[in-house]
Amino acid sequence: MVYKNIRNLREDHDWTQQKLADMLHINRRTYSAYENGVNAMNPEILIALAKIYNTSVDYLLGLTENQTPYPR
């Protein structure tokens, strides 16, 4: 699965893959592999990214076009 919304959000924030990798406490190559769909993301990474970007996991996965996070 290619996570194009994750790449778009990162680029919208003018962040590098290294910055995101550091925020997630993972290797940049690992993050790059997630973003390019080489590796599938585990739920913990998806949840962390949703929190970083203040959006839903569904948006990150491309299941919705709505960026608004779900109410807690």
Side-chain angles (χ1 to χ4, degrees):
M1 165 177 267
V2 176
Y3 302 99
K4 63 183 174 183
N5 286 343
I6 292 170
R7 171 179 255 163
N8 291 339
L9 285 167
R10 179 180 59 78
E11 290 175 347
D12 288 348
H13 283 80
D14 293 322
W15 291 343
T16 64
Q17 288 183 343
Q18 184 63 58
K19 179 173 177 75
L20 258 293
D22 291 345
M23 293 169 81
L24 296 169
H25 308 288
I26 61 174
N27 185 289
R28 187 206 54 82
R29 286 187 295 233
T30 301
Y31 178 80
S32 178
Y34 289 152
E35 196 173 274
N36 292 308
V38 174
N39 293 345
M41 283 192 231
N42 64 43
E44 291 81 12
I45 295 292
L46 283 166
I47 292 167
L49 284 170
K51 287 179 180 180
I52 288 168
Y53 291 126
N54 193 34
T55 192
S56 68
V57 171
D58 284 354
Y59 179 76
L60 297 178
L61 294 173
L63 300 174
T64 182
E65 294 294 316
N66 185 356
Q67 278 187 264
T68 306
Y70 298 120
R72 294 181 182 183

